[in-house]
Amino acid sequence: MTHAAQQLCLPTVYLNGEYMPLENARISPLDRGFIFGDGVYEVIPYYDGRGLRANEHLIRLQRSMEELYMTNPYSLEKWESAINGLIAKNGGGNLAIYIQVTRGVAKRDFPPPAGLTPTVFMMANPLPTPKPEIYVNGISAVSLDDNRWLKCHIKSTALLGAVLLKHESNLLGGDEGIMFRDGYLTESSASNIAAVKNGVILCPPMDNLILGGITYVLMIELAKKAGLPLEVRRVSRKEVRGADELWIMSSTKEVVPIVSLDGRPVGHGIEAGKPGPIFKTMYQLFQNYKRELASAPPQAAE
Ligand SMILES: Cc1ncc(COP(=O)(O)O)c(C=O)c1O
């Protein structure tokens, strides 16, 4: 095991049905994932072997493949056992399981040939949950035009749009970029977003313009269960500029408050530029949900 390989991911990866050290994993350069970004992926958080909404992630993986006219090579049960094996072989703990399925290897040509064998790759990384200060101090964001394609509901490995938007956010001095299409809020480069105005949580609809996040759906469920006023609807740039709170959500970030947007503090009065009360409630609801998960039977037994 080289030092460089150790830093890239945890030592054991999964490739096409086999567990192996990362440095033994070999993929053809003619894999359509490499040539065209012709593939889909998932990132599933596991806490001590317990997947947080793992089934929902695997169902979204299936839906993404259907959008690409691909056949899922594995059943739900096979995915679960392959993931559990990967967790066990990497020593358990809190892990982000990355799954990638590409259309497979073929002569380079645009139309996808029938009958290819998909390439299945999985790796594990320690779950990169933000440091506690982030939840207290928040992050900064900049507004960007959403110039990605119109099929953002597919979790495709073709991520150049998101890569450039994230890079441009950082060049503009923001921790994150939040995106607008035709004057309406969509999402961040790798997370969903909600705004709060006058105590109402405003959530962009889960259409083709955003990835329907598993965390987003969970947060909406938790907020509704807790009786928090919430509207799923288009949110204008003006509403975002005047919002009392903004927060982003994803499987690895959980829920993180944005405290400044385009160099101006988010919110009003003495609370401006600080994580807001509804963010704090949502954070707590999420932590409670995780605590309940911790008392459920583990899924990774090997
Ligand atoms: C574009 C985009 N939106 C939203 C999300 C959040 O999705 P999830 O909560 O399923 O991690 C992600 C996660 O990677 C993403 O890439």
Side-chain angles (χ1 to χ4, degrees):
M1 163 76 47
T2 64
H3 182 61
Q6 262 174 343
Q7 289 176 328
L8 296 172
C9 66
L10 290 176
T12 302
V13 302
Y14 176 98
L15 182 62
N16 297 329
E18 283 175 54
Y19 299 101
M20 60 189 76
L22 173 65
E23 58 268 35
N24 291 0
R26 294 283 174 270
I27 295 172
S28 166
L30 289 184
D31 192 287
R32 289 177 61 100
F34 181 64
I35 296 280
F36 293 122
D38 187 1
V40 297
Y41 76 108
E42 274 300 327
V43 179
I44 313 183
Y46 278 79
Y47 297 88
D48 284 327
R50 295 161 178 93
L52 196 147
R53 302 231 150 159
N55 269 4
E56 283 80 348
H57 281 274
L58 293 171
I59 290 166
R60 185 172 65 186
L61 183 69
Q62 163 84 32
R63 277 204 313 266
S64 294
M65 282 187 238
E66 284 166 6
E67 291 279 355
L68 266 57
Y69 307 95
M70 277 173 64
T71 305
N72 191 341
Y74 294 175
S75 65
L76 204 57
E77 293 71 31
K78 176 137 186 212
W79 279 117
E80 281 164 1
S81 74
I83 294 168
N84 289 344
L86 185 68
I87 291 171
K89 286 185 192 305
N90 283 298
N94 293 348
L95 300 178
I97 300 298
Y98 176 88
I99 305 175
Q100 171 163 335
V101 185
T102 74
R103 202 180 301 274
V105 180
K107 181 178 188 306
R108 188 189 179 280
D109 198 5
F110 279 63
L116 292 187
T117 305
T119 302
V120 177
F121 172 68
M122 293 200 288
M123 65 179 159
N125 277 297
L127 198 56
T129 311
K131 294 195 173 60
E133 311 83 90
I134 293 271
Y135 299 112
V136 177
N137 300 330
I139 59 166
S140 65
V142 293
S143 306
L144 296 170
D145 287 330
D146 193 341
N147 54 18
R148 301 171 303 164
W149 70 337
L150 292 172
K151 293 191 178 189
C152 295
H153 61 296
I154 305 173
K155 204 162 167 63
S156 155
T157 56
L159 284 169
L160 193 51
V163 166
L164 292 180
L165 286 162
K166 177 76 183 175
H167 186 56
E168 284 155 12
S169 316
N170 296 154
L171 290 177
L172 290 167
D175 297 315
E176 287 290 342
I178 64 169
M179 297 184 273
F180 294 86
R181 199 189 283 268
D182 300 328
Y184 289 93
L185 180 63
T186 55
E187 59 183 342
S188 184
S189 48
S191 40
N192 293 109
I193 180 161
V196 176
K197 188 65 188 174
N198 299 330
V200 182
I201 304 170
L202 305 174
C203 297
M206 271 174 277
D207 53 19
N208 61 310
L209 300 182
I210 69 170
L211 182 78
I214 306 300
T215 321
Y216 193 48
V217 172
L218 173 60
M219 288 296 183
I220 291 174
E221 264 177 49
L222 294 175
K224 284 187 175 164
K225 217 163 139 191
L228 300 175
L230 184 145
E231 292 173 12
V232 177
R233 64 163 172 84
R234 282 167 33 111
V235 184
S236 72
R237 196 185 278 264
K238 190 164 167 236
E239 285 179 297
V240 172
R241 285 219 185 102
D244 301 325
E245 299 184 28
L246 293 171
W247 11 279
I248 54 169
M249 291 151 276
S250 79
S251 294
T252 52
K253 294 187 193 76
E254 304 186 347
V255 51
V256 169
I258 294 174
V259 296
S260 93
L261 178 63
D262 300 325
R264 286 188 294 271
V266 174
H268 307 280
I270 53 161
E271 291 304 315
K274 295 186 194 151
I278 302 190
F279 158 75
K280 287 179 189 159
T281 304
M282 291 311 304
Y283 177 78
Q284 221 38 66
L285 290 172
F286 192 77
Q287 299 312 314
N288 295 347
Y289 183 86
K290 275 199 329 196
R291 262 194 295 279
E292 281 166 28
L293 185 72
S295 54
Q299 290 161 300
E302 210 194 54

